[in-house]
Amino acid sequence: MRTHFCGLIDEALTGQSVTLCGWTDVARNLGGVCFIDLRDHHGIVQVLVEPEQVEVFKVAASLGYEDVLQVEGVVRARHSVNDKLKSGQVEVVATKITILNKAEPLPFHAHENAGEETRLKYRYLDLRRPEMQRMMRTRTRLVAALRQWLDARDFQDIETPILTKATPEGARDFLVPARMHPGEFYALPQSPQLFKQILMVAGFDRYYQIARCFRDEALRADRQLEFTQLDMEFAFVAERDVQDTTEDMIRSVFREVMQVELAPEFPRLTWVEAMRRFGSDKPDLRNPLELVDVAELVKDSEFKVFTDWASNPEGRIAALRIPGGALLSRKQIDDLGAHAAKYGAKGLAYIKLGGNGEVTSPIAKFFAEAAFAALIKATGLQNGDLVFFGAGKYNTVSDFMGALRLKVGKDMKLVEDRWAPLWVTDFPMFEYDDEAQRYVALHHPFTAPAVDDIDDLRANARTAVSRGYDMVLNGNEIGGGSIRIHRPDMQSAVFELLGIGAEEAEAKFGFLLDALKYGAPPHGGIAFGIDRIAALMAGTESIRDVIAFPKTTTAQCLMTGAPSPIPDAQLAEVHVSVRPKEK
């Protein structure tokens, strides 16, 4: 039906006859002449319809937005060049226009800033927009570059099951009733974790998969119920083997897709250092602000909030200096306090040092002169600056001060325009869940501890360090992995520490424990979030913009109406009945 793509028409085709197909982006009837901007997935070309072509002109004059056309014509140089278009040096003089399909009036136009709900309901129209086409094409190039790099290095692309065993640890599983096994269920995989480990036991050495994963969890801008990850696993490796290989891969992919040169060696921070300096295990290094611990300097003050937490072994008192922050109004300071409260802050203390050195602070009166001077020195406070203080449990303070750091950096335009990758390593092995009264795995239950001695691990579980690592880019975790447990006795000990008894471990993970008995090699791996990397490359804050058909934050597909009720007869076939909602 066509000889060329609209967006690829250029000067090399001048004088040639072409046949194009696409959508009417804009149609302008100027009386003596008609102009049509014809669009396909490669871009736009201007079509000129002259009044001498009487029948063609009639068709052109009747066109509306998004009508589907076939245009035959001759390429010639434009009188007025449009440098914004790749085809802007030329135009196509139409000799025939065929309307292939007439579009009804649109719920929104491609050039309008429609709300996301409308865009998702009419996703097929949203995806026609050049900006969405650009972002989806970026994703395509990303995946192609990853596959090319991996295939050239002897990684095997192996598919793992989508219908698998429910092993809930962390997020909830999506369950699928097994029609041929009444009362039993499959689960959709949260990741191919166990299968890729078993592939290492099977001797495949280097595995990868562009894997679809499913987690029944709350959604936000960087999470979806179903998502895509690059899954990788290596046999006979230590941490640096995995990190150096995948770091080289990410550098290569950014070079090919974005023409961007990332750092020749990514910086490395331990989890402890990342939390201490930035209040986050995925710090954005483009933001120059850092936290400073000041518990020792305030423990003898008369401010009870500080003294209580300074003497608490689980407490933290952190300061954040804002250069030029003395210009912030009281309302702006209160707004920042409200933002911190969303992340657990009970309040923010502050010291403001005016341009003339005048101190404004609700806590200054609680300090002796020498102690106050030492505090100002430790925080680096200078004339014209402001410093915020947060006190509370260590992780809570890290969370809200880290969130405050990000907001202030963004609001005050302190974030540098660059790519800032890094590794965060040496994560805690466990977190203690006060509500459940047990340990939970910070990464997952199959991550190896830094110690090989089981008795040592049991005795020091609260402070145990794992062999886990994350790759972070511009404040986003884009990849997470670890060296895995390859000894069955160590895996059983970790299950025990997580409150998973021998009987439960056998029921849920018996196949893995069996596999580890038969010569499992040391192995490790990592999984990269394709959606997150694509969003960063495309310059959007939401992964929904690089997923063709995403769910809303309420876990719905507005276009298809999913999820939806299922007829009783169909439910009966899979031996399922629906309980009425509880009031």
Side-chain angles (χ1 to χ4, degrees):
M1 291 186 71
R2 61 186 173 194
T3 60
H4 297 79
F5 294 110
C6 300
L8 301 183
I9 299 295
D10 60 19
E11 293 169 288
L13 297 171
T14 302
Q16 295 187 31
S17 296
V18 296
T19 301
L20 309 175
C21 291
W23 287 266
T24 307
D25 193 71
V26 175
R28 304 182 299 278
N29 183 353
L30 304 183
V33 67
C34 274
F35 291 100
I36 303 165
D37 286 349
L38 191 66
R39 186 192 73 247
D40 64 14
H41 69 290
H42 274 294
I44 289 173
V45 67
Q46 178 172 283
V47 175
L48 172 67
V49 184
E50 296 176 323
E52 292 80 5
Q53 298 280 350
V54 178
E55 294 303 317
V56 181
F57 197 90
K58 284 182 182 178
V59 175
S62 71
L63 296 177
Y65 289 128
E66 298 303 303
D67 287 346
V68 186
L69 310 180
Q70 181 189 59
V71 174
E72 298 175 28
V74 178
V75 179
R76 77 175 186 190
R78 283 182 62 159
H79 295 298
S80 56
V81 171
N82 185 348
D83 292 327
K84 294 181 181 178
L85 298 179
K86 186 176 180 180
S87 65
Q89 301 286 332
V90 295
E91 62 189 3
V92 175
V93 181
T95 56
K96 183 180 179 181
I97 296 178
T98 303
I99 300 177
L100 301 175
N101 205 351
K102 192 77 178 168
E104 293 188 4
L106 303 174
F108 72 96
H109 191 266
H111 302 291
E112 294 175 1
N113 186 22
E116 187 176 47
E117 186 170 317
T118 301
R119 290 173 51 207
L120 292 177
K121 182 176 181 180
Y122 300 96
R123 189 62 165 178
Y124 38 85
L125 296 179
D126 187 39
L127 288 171
R128 284 186 200 169
R129 297 190 300 123
E131 179 64 6
M132 291 300 296
Q133 292 273 328
R134 178 191 69 80
M135 290 194 280
M136 293 303 298
R137 192 179 291 275
T138 298
R139 182 189 178 110
T140 299
R141 293 202 308 272
L142 165 63
V143 173
L146 288 168
R147 285 192 182 278
Q148 184 178 30
W149 194 95
L150 292 160
D151 292 342
R153 287 160 181 80
D154 201 31
F155 283 84
Q156 287 186 256
D157 182 2
I158 302 176
E159 295 177 345
T160 55
I162 292 295
L163 295 175
T164 184
K165 183 180 178 67
T167 54
E169 276 296 322
R172 293 183 179 90
D173 287 328
F174 279 101
L175 302 177
V176 180
R179 181 180 60 82
M180 292 183 288
H181 300 273
E184 297 182 356
F185 295 81
Y186 301 103
L188 302 183
Q190 295 188 30
S191 85
Q193 180 64 43
L194 300 183
F195 288 103
K196 68 178 180 178
Q197 288 190 238
I198 289 173
L199 286 171
M200 297 303 101
V201 179
F204 283 97
D205 200 77
R206 284 188 163 197
Y207 143 93
Y208 88 92
Q209 181 182 185
I210 306 294
R212 296 290 285 166
C213 303
F214 308 85
R215 293 181 187 170
D216 190 0
E217 60 184 355
L219 305 190
R220 50 181 188 257
D222 65 345
R223 289 200 178 170
Q224 284 279 298
L225 299 178
E226 50 184 317
F227 56 96
T228 307
Q229 66 185 35
L230 166 62
D231 211 52
M232 303 174 69
E233 200 76 5
F234 309 66
F236 301 107
V237 289
E239 290 90 329
R240 283 301 292 249
D241 298 315
V242 177
Q243 293 167 14
D244 290 347
T245 300
T246 54
E247 182 179 315
D248 186 45
M249 177 187 73
I250 292 298
R251 261 194 302 271
S252 174
V253 167
F254 267 77
R255 185 181 303 121
E256 180 173 340
V257 177
M258 300 289 292
Q259 292 76 54
V260 165
E261 285 293 336
L262 298 180
E265 183 174 354
F266 295 179
R268 282 171 168 75
L269 292 176
T270 65
W271 179 88
V272 168
E273 184 180 3
M275 297 301 288
R276 177 176 58 81
R277 293 173 57 189
F278 306 107
S280 172
D281 59 6
K282 49 182 180 181
D284 188 347
L285 298 187
R286 301 172 303 162
N287 184 337
L289 303 180
E290 293 195 24
L291 305 181
V292 177
D293 285 314
V294 296
E296 282 299 310
L297 296 173
V298 301
K299 65 181 181 181
D300 296 324
S301 73
E302 297 178 9
F303 188 44
K304 190 173 185 302
V305 174
F306 282 0
T307 55
D308 285 351
W309 285 110
S311 60
N312 189 323
E314 295 185 358
R316 181 179 194 187
I317 303 174
L320 180 68
R321 181 178 72 90
I322 315 299
L327 296 176
L328 293 175
S329 67
R330 182 55 191 265
K331 182 181 184 307
Q332 289 173 308
I333 291 173
D334 289 344
D335 288 345
L336 290 171
H339 180 75
K342 296 176 185 177
Y343 298 85
K346 295 290 196 301
L348 287 178
Y350 67 90
I351 299 172
K352 183 189 288 190
L353 204 59
N356 57 0
E358 180 185 357
V359 173
T360 304
S361 171
I363 63 170
K365 61 187 177 184
F366 296 108
F367 289 86
E369 186 175 339
F372 192 72
L375 188 62
I376 286 179
K377 182 179 179 181
T379 58
L381 194 64
Q382 299 178 13
N383 288 0
D385 294 349
L386 177 145
V387 62
F388 283 113
F389 299 90
K393 277 194 170 184
Y394 192 93
N395 286 347
T396 303
V397 171
S398 299
D399 286 346
F400 71 71
M401 292 299 283
L404 181 67
R405 170 183 173 267
L406 292 178
K407 180 165 178 58
V408 170
K410 183 177 180 180
D411 290 351
M412 299 191 70
K413 297 181 171 51
L414 300 175
V415 179
E416 300 168 359
D417 183 15
R418 63 185 178 93
W419 295 98
L422 76 148
W423 288 101
V424 178
T425 65
D426 302 317
F427 281 78
M429 186 74 183
F430 307 111
E431 285 182 310
Y432 193 76
D433 187 327
D434 290 324
E435 187 175 332
Q437 292 290 295
R438 69 178 183 93
Y439 289 111
V440 294
L442 197 67
H443 265 82
H444 53 59
F446 319 107
T447 296
V451 297
D452 290 326
D453 186 86
I454 292 175
D455 290 337
D456 188 347
L457 179 65
R458 286 183 174 131
N460 300 287
R462 189 174 287 270
T463 58
V465 173
S466 78
R467 299 179 70 182
Y469 39 80
D470 285 355
M471 185 185 288
V472 177
L473 181 60
N474 291 4
N476 297 271
E477 177 209 329
I478 62 169
S482 67
I483 299 301
R484 322 302 188 188
I485 299 169
H486 69 283
R487 288 167 33 205
D489 58 342
M490 178 63 81
Q491 186 64 78
S492 294
V494 169
F495 284 154
E496 180 186 325
L497 284 166
L498 293 171
I500 302 172
E503 188 175 331
E504 183 183 359
E506 181 62 32
K508 288 183 176 179
F509 307 109
F511 63 97
L512 173 68
L513 293 170
D514 286 345
L516 297 181
K517 296 175 185 176
Y518 298 113
H523 58 284
I526 193 168
F528 287 94
I530 296 292
D531 309 307
R532 290 184 186 178
I533 298 174
L536 284 168
M537 287 181 161
T540 178
E541 294 184 358
S542 174
I543 63 171
R544 291 191 291 274
D545 288 335
V546 291
I547 297 173
F549 302 104
K551 305 292 187 291
T552 66
T553 53
T554 56
Q556 294 174 295
C557 174
L558 298 180
M559 186 183 74
T560 65
S564 59
I566 299 295
D568 290 342
Q570 190 175 351
L571 290 174
E573 288 181 355
V574 292
H575 318 286
V576 169
S577 61
V578 178
R579 294 170 57 184
K581 288 183 181 179
E582 295 182 6
K583 293 183 180 179

